[in-house]
């Protein structure tokens, strides 16, 4: 029994160490996600906003980002995507008509992996923005201002747009490798413990065969 206890303690310690590796590796494999959109997915707004935005749980990278805002087959996105803190903001061209809009976005998350998603909203009236930057001078900071990314403001988490599974969630092979190593370590220690236990049960050892 004195021989078994240290071996069992070693096996338990190895298993605990392997479990700690797995749990520590899991968060690292998770990519950024979209927490909310503005306008919210499926929302109806009074008029076409000056910009649309997607809020993420971390700040995305500016490189490789792209957003299209289409209705009737025409893209009304104006200029490149702006990254403001944890938001990706896309301005719209003046004169956008009323109708249902489909927003397709793609950004590079903080861990350098591309993520993408889509959401829709309906505008009952066309854009009233006369020219780019006109709304930015508004002192009231209204929801239609081009400088305010929270257009058609919605509570956090409302109408969130989940990233596409294939693009944003590649299979975490690193976790599989760590798990395989951990299982192999536990098996090795168990076999070693069994051999030592068998040897301890044979008081004469190899000499008994003579």
């Amino acid at each position: 029994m004195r021989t078994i206890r240290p071996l069992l303690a070693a096996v338990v310690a190895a298993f605990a160490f392997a479990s700690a590796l797995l749990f520590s590796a899991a968060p690292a494999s998770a990519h950024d996600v979209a927490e909310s959109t503005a306008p919210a997915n499926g929302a109806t707004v009074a008029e076409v906003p000056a910009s649309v935005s997607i809020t993420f749980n971390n700040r995305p990278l500016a490189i490789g980002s792209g957003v299209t805002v289409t209705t009737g087959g025409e893209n009304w996105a104006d200029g490149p995507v702006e990254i403001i803190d944890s938001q990706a903001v896309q301005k719209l061209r003046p004169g956008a008509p009323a109708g249902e809009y489909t927003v397709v976005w793609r950004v590079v998350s903080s861990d350098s992996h591309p993520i993408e998603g889509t959401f829709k909203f309906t505008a009952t009236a066309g854009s009233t923005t006369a020219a780019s930057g006109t709304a930015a001078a508004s002192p009231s900071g209204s929801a239609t201002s081009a400088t305010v990314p929270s257009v058609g403001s919605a509570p956090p988490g409302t109408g969130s747009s989940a990233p596409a599974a294939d693009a944003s969630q590649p299979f975490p092979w690193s976790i599989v490798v760590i798990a395989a190593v951990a299982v192999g370590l536990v098996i090795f220690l168990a076999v070693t413990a069994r051999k030592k236990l068998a040897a301890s049960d044979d008081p004469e050892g190899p000499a008994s065969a003579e």
Side-chain angles (χ1 to χ4, degrees):
M1 293 298 294
R2 292 180 180 177
T3 305
I4 297 175
R5 289 178 181 175
L7 293 174
L8 288 178
V11 172
V12 172
F15 183 77
F17 177 72
S19 299
L21 286 177
L22 289 175
F23 281 110
S24 63
S29 66
H31 306 309
D32 298 345
V33 296
E35 294 184 329
S36 62
T37 64
N41 184 32
T44 298
V45 295
E47 62 185 36
V48 177
S51 65
V52 297
S53 66
I54 307 96
T55 301
F56 300 91
N57 59 327
N58 288 307
R59 181 187 178 91
L61 303 180
I63 185 171
S65 300
V67 178
T68 61
V69 187
T70 59
T71 186
E74 184 173 358
N75 181 19
W76 288 88
D78 184 16
V81 179
E82 296 180 45
I83 303 299
I84 304 176
D85 295 328
S86 60
Q87 292 182 320
V89 183
Q90 176 63 64
K91 294 180 180 180
L92 274 63
R93 291 186 286 117
E100 182 182 65
Y101 284 78
T102 300
V103 181
V104 178
W105 57 266
R106 178 183 175 87
V107 301
V108 178
S109 64
S110 58
D111 64 356
S112 301
H113 283 79
I115 56 177
E116 59 188 16
T118 183
F119 66 95
K120 295 182 179 183
F121 69 91
T122 301
T124 56
S127 172
T128 58
T129 304
S132 297
T134 302
S138 173
S140 62
S142 63
T144 58
S145 172
T147 61
V148 179
S150 55
V151 178
S153 56
T158 301
S160 61
S161 181
D166 291 341
S168 63
Q169 302 295 334
F171 191 80
W173 287 108
S174 59
I175 295 181
V176 175
V177 173
I178 294 174
V181 172
V183 171
L185 179 60
V186 172
I187 294 175
F188 172 77
L189 290 175
V191 172
T192 302
R194 184 175 180 181
K195 289 182 178 180
K196 290 187 176 181
L197 178 60
S200 64
D201 289 340
D202 186 359
E204 297 182 2
S208 62
E210 297 178 0

